[in-house]
Amino acid sequence: MIIRNLREIRGSDHEVRPEDGQWTSRRLLLKHDDMGFSMHDTLIHAGSEIRMWYKNHLEAVYCVSGEGEIEDIETGEKYLISDGILYALDKNDKHILRAVSEMRMICVFNPPLTGREVHDADGAYPLMESTGS
Ligand code: 9YT
């Protein structure tokens, strides 16, 4: 059994914040945990606008606090995101996430992240072969 405590992840190398500072991802489970998925507790900071296209991964995101919106880039449709709303990028959907207030999101990735990925120019994470950290 694996037990993780967010308090121990804060400030460790399992806490990832990109250079633009738009989000902070606390990686609770990663590839090396051998669960078949990774799970993150991610803060999307107020005012952020993040363009993403996880072409190599499926991601489900469950909002537990804060408010914002997600835009489907292909269709232009926008959906309000707040506490209790989940979105699943089952078609590797290109999207833009906008945070009105800080949003706390529980994110699950399949295949799992190794922990070292950063968004590329498309807003994607590469597929990485590694035991992770
Ligand atoms: C919601 C979302 O996709 N945010 C970007 C960060 C990513 N979820 C992560 O690595 O935790």
Side-chain angles (χ1 to χ4, degrees), residues 103-121:
M103 293 193 289
R104 186 174 180 192
M105 315 287 247
I106 307 305
C107 311
V108 175
F109 278 82
N110 169 24
L113 300 195
T114 66
R116 297 190 290 107
E117 295 86 348
V118 289
H119 284 161
D120 66 14

Side-chain angles (χ1 to χ4, degrees), residues 23 25 27 40 42 44 52 54 59 87 97 107 109 125:
W23 48 267
S25 177
R27 274 78 193 260
H40 321 163
T42 299
I44 311 292
M52 291 173 275
Y54 291 129
E59 185 194 24
Y87 64 85
L97 191 60
C107 311
F109 278 82
Y125 287 138

Side-chain angles (χ1 to χ4, degrees), residues 48-112:
S48 294
E49 177 167 312
I50 312 166
R51 194 180 184 95
M52 291 173 275
W53 180 24
Y54 291 129
K55 51 190 156 185
N56 301 310
H57 297 84
L58 298 175
E59 185 194 24
V61 179
Y62 182 61
C63 179
V64 295
S65 68
E67 289 184 0
E69 70 171 20
I70 186 170
E71 177 176 344
D72 182 327
I73 291 176
E74 293 297 323
T75 66
E77 286 174 299
K78 295 177 182 175
Y79 305 90
L80 292 177
I81 303 293
S82 62
D83 179 17
I85 305 290
L86 172 138
Y87 64 85
L89 304 166
D90 63 325
K91 310 249 179 345
N92 305 97
D93 314 71
K94 292 182 186 179
H95 62 290
I96 300 171
L97 191 60
R98 299 184 181 93
V100 175
S101 57
E102 180 171 273
M103 293 193 289
R104 186 174 180 192
M105 315 287 247
I106 307 305
C107 311
V108 175
F109 278 82
N110 169 24

